[in-house]
Amino acid sequence: ILSCQFSSWYPSFRNMNSKTNKEEKEEPYKNNNATMKSIILPLPSSFVEYLLTDGVQLPVGATKVSSFVPSDPRDGDDYWSSDDDDEENDNSQEEEQQQYSFPELTNQITSSINTLGGAVLPKLNWSCPKDATWVNNGTLKCRTPGDVFVLLKSSDFVMHDLSLSFDDADADADVDVDVDKNGSEEEKEEIKYELVLRKWCHLHPSMEFRCFVSNHDLVAISQRDHTNHFPHLSKNYLSIRCTILDFFDDTIQDVFSLPNYVVDVYVDKNDRVWILDFNVWGTQTDSLLFDWTELVSLQQQQQQQQQQQ
């Protein structure tokens, strides 16, 4: 699990041809950068505490709730709460809410957004707040610190990162999935939470794919948007599969440390493949067009074939 957090794998797939392990490779990597440019910001414990509190309240000094929401001239502060509609007329009955302030983090986010071209996609160590896009005009695109804060604060996926990251691995015994939890109890308690800001890119959902890797071999590929039919995939699936396989063989197979994992990739219009994220091999990762019993069966077949060789 720890190997799949962003800061663990990201440095290995940027500036790849300048890495010392390039000396062990006969040919240079086809693409020097295999993933989008990103900036990693360490999160203070007070900010993690803020994310875990109830309600949605922007920190003091943050910009408006969302860059998609018109400014209200009547608003003189940076406060917005999901409980505003239930506000009582008798203000004396209200409990005073704690005000949070993160001026250094706010400045770092502003600087990072500018460095990355004016728009970013935010995530924590493992998850992005894609379940909370309803508060940001249906998108993960963030132009201001306020956009970032409100997405993180409204997301159940982010809460999962903060409180339940290791728990789901225990459920894999039901389907005989072998998961490397990758961390002692002491290490789990000392997780350093991070805010990842990824350069915003317009990705077509039909060209995002989830790849399942067993014992360092790619055994299955699924489209990530598995609830929609894209006619061009039926026509071009063989060439897309070859493109992803070539990329995996050249760029990922001998670089990523774990033997079993799931990796999400994107194929752009020039047939260049980009790494989006790494995920744990196990039921906490959505198997999309497959089910985990099927994937485990593929894994067992692969192991039998290797033993016979």
Side-chain angles (χ1 to χ4, degrees), residues 77-203:
D77 54 27
D78 298 306
Y79 175 82
W80 176 79
S81 171
S82 60
D83 298 326
D84 280 351
D85 291 339
D86 299 324
E87 192 173 352
E88 297 290 340
N89 292 328
D90 186 2
N91 292 330
S92 63
Q93 299 285 324
E94 296 179 356
E95 295 182 2
E96 183 178 354
Q97 298 194 35
Q98 180 178 355
Q99 294 291 310
Y100 291 90
S101 179
F102 310 102
E104 182 178 357
L105 180 61
T106 299
N107 290 336
Q108 289 175 333
I109 294 174
T110 300
S111 176
S112 298
I113 291 174
N114 292 333
T115 299
L116 294 172
V120 298
L121 181 153
K123 63 176 296 179
L124 291 195
N125 301 45
W126 294 276
S127 301
C128 71
K130 59 184 179 181
D131 60 321
T133 56
W134 59 272
V135 300
N136 199 45
N137 201 38
T139 181
L140 290 167
K141 184 177 184 179
C142 295
R143 298 189 179 97
T144 69
D147 295 348
V148 174
F149 291 143
V150 77
L151 275 172
L152 296 178
K153 197 73 174 69
S154 304
S155 172
D156 289 338
F157 291 172
V158 167
M159 294 305 104
H160 184 277
D161 269 16
L162 297 177
S163 57
L164 300 170
S165 300
F166 290 87
D167 291 358
D168 290 343
D170 296 326
D172 289 321
D174 295 337
V175 290
D176 196 26
V177 176
D178 184 16
V179 177
D180 179 7
K181 295 186 182 181
N182 199 227
S184 66
E185 291 301 323
E186 291 78 11
E187 290 172 324
K188 296 172 189 177
E189 292 176 359
E190 297 178 2
I191 294 174
K192 295 180 180 179
Y193 289 105
E194 300 160 336
L195 172 61
V196 178
L197 300 175
R198 310 212 68 186
K199 181 180 177 64
W200 176 257
C201 302
H202 294 280
L203 306 183

Side-chain angles (χ1 to χ4, degrees), residues 233-247:
L233 292 183
S234 300
K235 179 180 178 181
N236 301 322
Y237 78 95
L238 287 176
S239 62
I240 293 172
R241 183 177 66 177
C242 288
T243 298
I244 294 175
L245 281 169
D246 287 346
F247 174 79

